Amino acid sequence: MLRLILRRLASAVLVLLLASIVIFTVISVSGDPLAELRDRQPPVPESVIAAEEARLGLNDPLPVRYLTWLSGVVTGNFGPSTIANRDIGAELGTRVGVTLRLVLLAIVLALVLSLIAGTVSALHQRRWPDLLMTPAAFVLLALPSFWLAVLLKQWGIGLNNLTGYQLFYTVGEASVPRPEGFALVADIGGHLVLPTIVLALVHFATWSRYQRTAVAEALAADHVRFAVLKGLTRRRIIRSYVVRPALIPIVTIVALDLPVVFSGAVITETVFQWRGMGGFLLESIALRDTNAVLAWLLVAATAVVVFNLLADILYGLVDPRVRYAKS
Amino acid sequence: MTNQTHASEPPELLRVRDLVKHYRAPRAAQRHGPPIVHALCSVSFSIGPAQTLGIVGESGSGKTTLLRTILGLQKPTAGRVLFLAKDASQLKGASARALQRELSVVFQDPYTSLDPRMTVADILAEPAQIHGLAVSSRKALALLDQVRLPATSLRRFPHEFSGGQRQRIAIARALALDPKLIVLDEPVSALDVSVQAEILKLLKELQQARQVSYLFVAHDLAVVADISQRVGVMYGGQMVELGATEQVIADPQHPYTRELLAAVPVPDPRIERAKPRMLQRQWPTETDNLPPCPHGDTL
Amino acid sequence: MAVTVRRFLRHKVGMVALGVLLIVILAAIIVPPLWPYDYTDITPQLSQAPSVQHPMGTDTLGRDLFALVLRGMQQSLLIAFSVTIIACIIGVVLGVTAGYFGSFIDATVMRAVDLVLTLPTLALAAFLGSLVTGRGVSWLGLAMVLGSLMWTSVARLVRGVVLSLRELAFVDAARVMGASPTRIMFRHLVPNVSDHIVVAGTLMFGVAILAESSLSFLGFGVQPPDTSLGLLVANAQSAVLTRPWLFYFPGLLIITIVLSVNYVGEGLRDAFNPKSSPTNPLATTRRRSRNRKPQMRDAANHAVLKVTDLSVRFGPLEAVNSISLEIQPGEVVALVGESGSGKSLTGLSLVGLLPSSAVGTGSVVFAGEELSGLAFEQWRKYRGRRIAMILQDPSTTLNPVLTVGAQFEDSMKLDSGGVSRAEARRRAVELMESVAIKDAEARLDQYPHQLSGGMRQRIAIALAMVHDPDLIIADEPTTALDVTVQAHVMATLAVARERTGAAMLFITHDLALVAGIADRVAVMHQGVIVEESDVFSIFDNPQADYTKRLLSLAPRITGKAVEKP
């Protein structure tokens, strides 16, 4: 098992390194951080542009720039920003935590719900829980997350206005000024409610469908028939012969979907005006702050790789075939 | 160890010489066993014209590897396959194609060996198309006739046929370019007994009529013995026995052949009930009583 | 192909969804030139609720929302369509190449896929989208950005399908014929993945619409003064409560389009690959024996199993036709038949596990008790304890994620309480040793994938022995095994039968195989038992033509081969 983890760790680092090369190349080749400066009217003096180019290190060849950037990244320096006095690393650092708590909570919620719903649905195929759940999942699949987010936010506001109480927090990731102690936890929790629902629902739709398929397939497997013939209780069969083997595909799907969760988080945060990674990304794109975009992508990729690593380990725990074949 | 028959050796159609195929074992397996798996260990034999050589072996005996190597689907680690005295792997272009025309194959599973998206006419025309030869429906009809399928089959798709009928289509396709050797990979093991018998009969008739040779590979000794003049028995990547069918069956030399013979069920309750009960392999199961494989430690 | 189309035409939800989708697409193409307002026209009616003149109302600038929505649909559909085409082309080419050639090419393509999958595509698309749209490159640029980020799912799917197709014999057959890789890829592989591509492409169209509108919503997709559905929603964000039409009409339209696309995709999937009715061996009730007669306990009859007039029907098709069969205690009865004879269905109906699309009628009496129509919990009194069954394929009958020991334990602890862990292990070892499994102790901690096929089947037999059943049903227990292993498993079965004293129903296609084990043989053909008698009569003096045919056709070794000239 330890061997498996170490090997996966090594390959994770490699993937991350490759990803950084791709990200750097794509962003550097396509985006000109000084485009806005060059287009300014009246024209900015050549010397100013040249100075800015030198400050951002744009005159070096691409591989050199990559290495400079990478060596900076390793020490926590994500390179100069187009905006004066912006410390990319520090700013992103404060925002990662905000986004991670949304992402993690949504993943856990969506995963638990889809495991239950998908399993129940598959166990009652073509009967009422399934006949109810399947169309519901289809509608959820078709819901644009931004639309759902706006809808819930505005309904929350409407409900607040109607009742005269602050039932839902609809703006930001915490109140300003921040409360202290336990009140802060409650406050943060309250702000999490609506965004988490949005993000979780969108993925619940996909994952519950996959879980339904996986359980339906497991149900049709010979080893379930054999377990029935052995005379085991329904509970035991469902737990160890149906659901456990069906966990293997869902772990893979969730791992594959992680970048999509991050994308969803960007949208959700934007709607609810969080000061998380989403807002940082959109600001940076709008301001052509390429180093900031780079840093954002790298952090997101790292998160995805780490999650994938966890999924791999989980995979090994769930499936003895993986554990024995690769360790 | 092998009782060679010399009666039908020359002129040779196919000669397999010291064929060796090694695989590197998966890392997990290497800790418990040898780092190299011998799929084929110095296998040699030959087939003459209009002759059938049967090869029996269980799963993992190397018979599939042998067959794929002869068909050129895999490269051997060492040794040579000489077909019509030429080594196909050394040939290129027109001469390679010419050699290809003389060799064809029928696979085990009639449900996967025909492209489900092609009509029978397309399937039968494909060999000629690949070799840039004229395609005619008269030829296709003649082929169908030879395997006793109606002319109306041409425009239908494989899924419209039964397993036995599909195997007939596969045989017709194998005959399309009039080859000298047809490799048959478990051609009847997926079929019902009654259908098996029909296909075996058809194969024998075709051999009579067209003087084609067969390399017939199967796990069922009874089926192999039914169609082959000579039989080779494979075990653990080696040809542990090779000789005339009657001789191998009447006087098996290798313990595996003896076990195989004893294991084949006989449709007679008195014989079956008299057999000793075999709960497990009666002789050392590992390959350690086989001669060591040459080139064993090199890859 | 024609079959697929017919199946899709019968798919109600799919057809409705296709209808809706066609209406939307046609509306987006035909209506704008006919509509009195252009999406750029500014009218004096600001922020009007829907009316006859403006069916969807107007926005804050006085533009007709219906005209705007039509324009938005045009943009969304056009972009999504291009994205789908681009992504499918890249995905299919890379997927087929990687899957067919394997090794280095495959590794490279898959690493590329992994890389793209590591990146949140929306973020990258937003960045690149801001560049292309910023320079006025419009929809095509946007489509290319999204397409170049969305091909991975198609590539993965196609590669997976090609990898499994490549193992199929028709590809090998083409290679042996001398077909070039190009020919194999385009003549054989692509046509065979086409149905997967059609389904994946359809679903991707929906995803592309969502992606484009998300991007436009964030402000990095379609730029004003042009518009798209996502942009319209973005503009209406704060108007949900005050001018709801601005928010709901474009939003619901996106939902309608994506929902229709997904249902069309689902319909296509079902049409290409018709689902059999769901298999659920855990279902509480089974449709069974409507004309069930109460069975009188027959004092004179001590049969362990008495089957009367058992029939199994799939719709109009009669797979098993009113068969009757009796098994006395300790007796071994063989049920022999070729594929399609109904022998396996007979075995399954004896244990109440017919597929849900099948209807069984007739009576099955086990030790004087009627079994047909039992509920799951009632069945548990018999299954495992008094009736054990061994299935055909030992590679799939054991649970892949539980150790052998755990599976024995499960069998021994049918009720809460029961035996202790140590006791369970001790008995499991004893049972395994009784069927000549070596190193039984060590096997307990192994998983099924670590064992050979013959070993797995012997463990399945040992599992069947746990409760000393009265009846063991063995359904083709050796078909998936080699001949020598078959002999070992047959010997194991004989031992198991002797130790438990159980009666046995042995189901097989191989008549010769039962000569050594059966007391009586029933030969089944096309759903009917054509002959039944004791084992010696069957082989010495077969009566039915079918039995004679089976006996004469089976290739055999003794005598004949030796006598050959």
Side-chain angles (χ1 to χ4, degrees):
Chain A
M1 200 62 201
L2 188 69
R3 242 167 206 267
L4 174 78
I5 295 172
L6 286 178
R7 279 186 45 180
R8 290 300 155 94
L9 200 64
S11 87
V13 170
L14 196 71
V15 168
L16 211 52
L17 210 61
L18 280 173
S20 74
I21 295 178
V22 171
I23 296 169
F24 187 86
T25 316
V26 170
I27 300 292
S28 310
V29 167
S30 56
D32 176 8
L34 301 181
E36 191 262 345
L37 204 63
R38 286 185 225 276
D39 292 347
R40 224 178 258 180
Q41 289 296 337
V44 178
E46 277 300 319
S47 58
V48 175
I49 293 178
E52 195 63 8
E53 271 176 355
R55 184 176 76 85
L56 297 175
L58 296 182
N59 297 323
D60 298 326
L62 204 60
V64 176
R65 279 167 59 193
Y66 171 72
L67 288 177
T68 319
W69 174 75
L70 189 68
S71 53
V73 167
V74 174
T75 59
N77 175 9
F78 288 92
S81 164
T82 45
I83 305 152
N85 300 330
R86 188 185 199 189
D87 183 344
I88 296 174
E91 197 180 333
L92 196 53
T94 60
R95 286 162 177 256
V96 167
V98 172
T99 299
L100 271 186
R101 69 175 177 246
L102 170 62
V103 166
L104 283 177
L105 197 63
I107 288 177
V108 171
L109 189 67
L111 191 58
V112 170
L113 286 179
S114 42
L115 281 179
I116 296 170
T119 307
V120 170
S121 204
L123 287 176
H124 299 88
Q125 277 172 78
R126 300 191 191 173
R127 283 186 287 147
W128 75 262
D130 186 37
L131 292 179
L132 208 70
M133 222 108 66
T134 300
F138 263 87
V139 171
L140 280 177
L141 269 176
L143 279 186
S145 51
F146 58 87
W147 192 80
L148 183 64
V150 171
L151 187 74
L152 288 189
K153 179 185 175 184
Q154 296 297 332
W155 280 4
I157 294 175
L159 216 60
N160 287 347
N161 292 343
L162 206 66
T163 55
Y165 293 102
Q166 175 88 3
L167 290 177
F168 293 102
Y169 294 96
T170 53
V171 174
E173 72 282 0
S175 301
V176 182
R178 292 179 155 234
E180 300 274 315
F182 181 74
L184 177 65
V185 178
D187 184 66
I188 287 178
H191 281 85
L192 268 169
V193 175
L194 290 179
T196 310
I197 291 177
V198 172
L199 199 51
L201 271 186
V202 173
H203 290 96
F204 164 75
T206 342
W207 297 347
S208 67
R209 294 301 292 167
Y210 277 111
Q211 178 66 7
R212 181 184 180 276
T213 313
V215 171
E217 267 169 26
L219 264 180
D222 262 0
H223 70 256
V224 173
R225 219 160 20 123
F226 193 61
V228 170
L229 290 168
K230 277 170 31 171
L232 306 191
T233 58
R234 193 188 266 122
R235 260 182 72 149
R236 177 74 187 153
I237 296 174
I238 291 176
R239 211 174 56 205
S240 301
Y241 291 73
V242 176
V243 174
R244 242 190 92 179
L247 286 178
I248 297 161
I250 194 78
V251 170
T252 320
I253 293 301
V254 172
L256 272 178
D257 258 1
L258 286 170
V260 189
V261 183
F262 270 91
S263 298
V266 170
I267 291 172
T268 315
E269 286 184 358
T270 310
V271 172
F272 288 97
Q273 289 150 284
W274 280 33
R275 292 186 49 77
M277 284 175 72
F280 179 89
L281 173 77
L282 299 183
E283 276 165 36
S284 306
I285 292 176
L287 295 169
R288 289 289 150 80
D289 192 347
T290 43
N291 275 339
V293 175
L294 262 176
W296 190 95
L297 284 171
L298 194 67
V299 168
T302 311
V304 170
V305 168
V306 169
F307 276 104
N308 268 307
L309 192 66
L310 290 177
D312 268 345
I313 294 167
L314 208 60
Y315 212 95
L317 288 179
V318 178
D319 190 349
R321 285 164 292 192
V322 174
R323 186 156 74 231
Y324 282 85
K326 307 227 168 118
S327 69
Chain B
M1 181 141 296
T2 55
N3 34 16
Q4 289 277 354
T5 46
H6 299 279
S8 50
E9 285 292 327
E12 279 166 10
L13 195 60
L14 177 78
R15 168 165 272 287
V16 171
R17 216 160 56 200
D18 297 327
L19 213 54
V20 177
K21 177 72 183 178
H22 292 169
Y23 295 105
R24 201 177 284 278
R27 204 171 296 174
Q30 283 190 17
R31 274 192 284 157
H32 308 291
I36 285 164
V37 178
H38 316 279
L40 282 182
C41 180
S42 199
V43 171
S44 303
F45 62 85
S46 61
I47 303 177
Q51 216 198 35
T52 302
L53 171 68
I55 291 182
V56 274
E58 58 190 17
S59 48
S61 64
K63 61 182 197 299
T64 304
T65 310
L66 173 66
L67 191 138
R68 293 182 69 82
T69 312
I70 291 170
L71 290 173
L73 295 170
Q74 275 180 358
K75 285 201 167 63
T77 310
R80 300 185 84 188
V81 176
L82 294 172
F83 181 51
L84 293 169
K86 295 185 197 91
D87 187 342
S89 64
Q90 308 292 319
L91 296 179
K92 282 209 160 54
S95 45
R97 307 211 131 235
L99 204 60
Q100 247 160 14
R101 286 200 281 273
E102 304 294 348
L103 176 70
S104 64
V105 66
V106 175
F107 284 110
Q108 168 176 12
D109 186 356
Y111 291 88
T112 60
S113 65
L114 306 174
D115 189 332
R117 291 297 165 93
M118 286 178 145
T119 62
V120 172
D122 290 339
I123 289 169
L124 295 181
E126 193 175 22
Q129 274 174 7
I130 289 170
H131 288 272
L133 304 171
V135 175
S136 77
S137 57
R138 231 185 50 227
K139 181 94 196 279
L141 286 173
L143 285 171
L144 281 180
D145 188 50
Q146 288 194 342
V147 296
R148 317 274 141 71
L149 283 176
T152 50
S153 312
L154 274 186
R155 301 164 88 192
R156 292 159 68 193
F157 286 90
H159 67 84
E160 301 174 56
F161 296 89
S162 71
Q165 288 172 323
R166 288 178 191 214
Q167 208 57 308
R168 286 168 192 268
I169 298 170
I171 292 169
R173 175 178 63 186
L175 290 170
L177 297 181
D178 225 346
K180 291 204 166 60
L181 175 67
I182 301 181
V183 173
L184 300 145
D185 178 13
E186 301 261 14
V188 298
S189 59
L191 306 174
D192 277 326
V193 175
S194 51
V195 185
Q196 265 188 18
E198 289 166 20
I199 297 287
L200 289 174
K201 188 162 158 258
L202 175 69
L203 284 172
K204 283 186 239 176
E205 285 169 10
L206 287 170
Q207 184 166 51
Q208 283 282 312
R210 308 182 59 138
Q211 295 297 300
V212 62
S213 290
Y214 296 140
L215 176 63
F216 190 106
V217 181
H219 70 278
D220 186 343
L221 186 56
V223 168
V224 169
D226 183 75
I227 195 172
S228 315
Q229 287 94 41
R230 289 193 305 142
V231 174
V233 180
M234 289 198 69
Y235 185 77
Q238 305 203 20
M239 189 77 87
V240 294
E241 187 136 1
L242 177 67
T245 307
E246 311 86 87
Q247 206 176 329
V248 169
I249 285 171
D251 184 22
Q253 300 298 305
H254 194 271
Y256 175 68
T257 316
R258 285 198 287 272
E259 190 187 350
L260 197 59
L261 271 167
V264 175
V266 181
D268 185 330
R270 288 168 200 90
I271 298 180
E272 278 295 309
R273 275 152 209 255
K275 276 186 185 174
R277 200 173 270 174
M278 292 188 290
L279 272 169
Q280 49 196 291
R281 190 137 283 172
Q282 303 297 304
W283 47 285
T285 52
E286 305 306 322
T287 45
D288 44 35
N289 66 333
L290 297 175
C293 192
H295 325 280
D297 303 317
T298 56
L299 193 70
Chain C
M1 208 58 215
V3 188
T4 313
V5 172
R6 243 177 291 136
R7 273 201 293 258
F8 185 77
L9 290 177
R10 277 204 305 268
H11 197 280
K12 286 193 203 95
V13 184
M15 283 305 286
V16 171
L18 185 66
V20 171
L21 200 61
L22 286 179
I23 290 172
V24 169
I25 293 174
L26 283 178
I29 297 170
I30 294 170
V31 179
L34 307 175
W35 193 245
Y37 305 97
D38 188 66
Y39 73 98
T40 48
D41 289 351
I42 294 176
T43 67
Q45 292 101 345
L46 310 182
S47 304
Q48 275 209 343
S51 61
V52 180
Q53 202 185 358
H54 302 290
M56 290 189 178
T58 59
D59 71 358
T60 43
L61 295 174
R63 289 179 296 180
D64 179 55
L65 185 62
F66 187 57
L68 282 166
V69 161
L70 283 174
R71 176 63 185 176
M73 259 162 41
Q74 280 183 345
Q75 290 286 300
S76 295
L77 291 172
L78 184 65
I79 292 173
F81 186 72
S82 322
V83 168
T84 307
I85 298 288
I86 294 170
C88 283
I89 290 175
I90 302 178
V92 169
V93 169
L94 288 181
V96 170
T97 321
Y100 180 71
F101 288 106
S103 67
F104 174 71
I105 296 175
D106 186 34
T108 314
V109 171
M110 287 322 285
R111 284 296 82 75
V113 169
D114 283 351
L115 275 181
V116 177
L117 284 177
T118 319
L119 307 172
T121 42
L122 185 80
L124 216 53
F127 180 78
L128 297 173
S130 79
L131 299 177
V132 289
T133 51
R135 291 180 196 148
V137 189
S138 80
W139 65 270
L140 189 61
L142 209 53
M144 277 161 55
V145 167
L146 287 173
S148 61
L149 292 171
M150 285 171 65
W151 55 271
T152 50
S153 62
V154 179
R156 277 172 60 96
L157 173 85
V158 170
R159 169 188 176 263
V161 177
V162 169
L163 273 183
S164 54
L165 282 176
R166 199 179 60 165
E167 299 299 313
L168 296 185
F170 72 83
V171 175
D172 275 340
R175 285 173 68 195
V176 172
M177 282 182 243
S180 64
T182 337
R183 184 187 169 93
I184 292 176
M185 282 195 276
F186 289 99
R187 191 84 175 86
H188 294 288
L189 296 177
V190 171
N192 277 290
V193 284
S194 59
D195 43 356
H196 296 266
I197 299 171
V198 169
V199 174
T202 309
L203 296 176
M204 172 159 290
F205 187 73
V207 178
I209 286 186
L210 287 178
E212 178 276 326
S213 43
S214 301
L215 219 51
S216 298
F217 174 85
L218 292 176
F220 301 110
V222 175
Q223 300 289 327
D226 210 330
T227 195
S228 90
L229 294 176
L231 200 57
L232 288 173
V233 173
N235 293 338
Q237 275 192 74
S238 53
V240 179
L241 300 173
T242 50
R243 295 178 294 281
W245 61 90
L246 291 179
F247 175 75
Y248 286 106
F249 280 122
L252 289 176
L253 213 73
I254 299 178
I255 297 171
T256 310
I257 296 174
V258 178
L259 195 60
S260 315
V261 169
N262 286 352
Y263 269 118
V264 170
E266 182 84 352
L268 285 172
R269 196 201 306 261
D270 288 351
F272 280 123
N273 198 355
K275 268 185 257 170
S276 49
S277 49
T279 310
N280 186 353
L282 300 176
T284 333
T285 49
R286 316 228 114 237
R287 283 185 289 159
R288 205 164 201 284
S289 82
R290 258 165 284 169
N291 49 354
R292 199 177 120 210
K293 300 173 209 93
Q295 190 71 29
M296 294 305 289
R297 206 175 174 127
D298 185 353
N301 194 337
H302 296 292
V304 63
L305 186 77
K306 187 171 180 344
V307 178
T308 324
D309 285 337
L310 179 76
S311 294
V312 179
R313 238 178 256 106
F314 288 95
L317 192 91
E318 188 116 20
V320 177
N321 192 351
S322 190
I323 65 163
S324 298
L325 192 71
E326 256 188 57
I327 303 179
Q328 302 303 323
E331 187 187 29
V332 180
V333 175
L335 191 58
V336 182
E338 293 186 313
S339 52
S341 63
K343 60 184 190 303
S344 286
L345 282 170
T346 304
L348 289 175
S349 55
L350 298 185
V351 290
L353 283 184
L354 280 180
S356 55
S357 51
V359 181
T361 52
S363 139
V364 176
V365 177
F366 173 79
E369 290 156 56
E370 176 66 50
L371 293 184
S372 44
L374 292 187
F376 186 87
E377 279 308 312
Q378 294 170 302
W379 264 116
R380 285 192 55 235
K381 284 188 286 198
Y382 302 98
R383 289 177 182 157
R385 296 163 212 246
R386 303 188 63 190
I387 304 176
M389 190 159 177
I390 295 149
L391 302 172
Q392 174 173 348
D393 188 353
S395 62
T396 55
T397 45
L398 299 178
N399 186 343
V401 301
L402 290 186
T403 59
V404 170
Q407 302 190 47
F408 268 103
E409 238 177 282
D410 274 350
S411 259
M412 289 173 194
K413 290 181 181 168
L414 291 185
D415 301 298
S416 49
V419 292
S420 72
R421 181 126 200 249
E423 169 67 9
R425 285 177 73 92
R426 194 191 59 70
R427 283 198 47 213
V429 169
E430 190 187 293
L431 281 171
M432 286 161 86
E433 279 170 351
S434 76
V435 293
I437 293 176
K438 280 186 251 172
D439 303 327
E441 188 82 46
R443 304 276 179 225
L444 286 182
D445 299 317
Q446 288 185 314
Y447 288 91
H449 75 275
Q450 296 170 297
L451 308 170
S452 70
M455 183 63 74
R456 285 181 207 149
Q457 196 63 302
R458 279 195 273 177
I459 285 170
I461 293 170
L463 277 166
M465 295 163 65
V466 165
H467 291 280
D468 279 339
D470 302 324
L471 174 67
I472 297 175
I473 300 174
D475 184 6
E476 301 254 15
T478 63
T479 308
L481 304 170
D482 284 312
V483 184
T484 50
V485 183
Q486 164 172 287
H488 306 156
V489 169
M490 290 303 290
T492 308
L493 272 174
V495 168
R497 207 198 63 71
E498 279 160 20
R499 273 182 64 102
T500 57
M504 188 188 291
L505 179 66
F506 188 89
I507 302 171
T508 180
H509 68 279
D510 187 350
L511 191 50
L513 187 60
V514 306
I517 194 167
D519 302 313
R520 257 178 335 117
V521 180
V523 179
M524 231 179 141
H525 183 50
Q526 293 177 345
V528 181
I529 293 184
V530 293
E531 179 167 8
E532 186 194 338
S533 64
D534 74 279
V535 68
F536 293 98
S537 320
I538 281 273
F539 286 99
D540 295 345
N541 188 17
Q543 295 300 310
D545 289 342
Y546 181 70
T547 317
K548 289 180 194 161
R549 223 161 79 84
L550 276 187
L551 277 171
S552 68
L553 288 177
R556 59 179 80 177
I557 284 183
T558 43
K560 193 172 140 220
V562 187
E563 285 155 23
K564 232 189 250 174

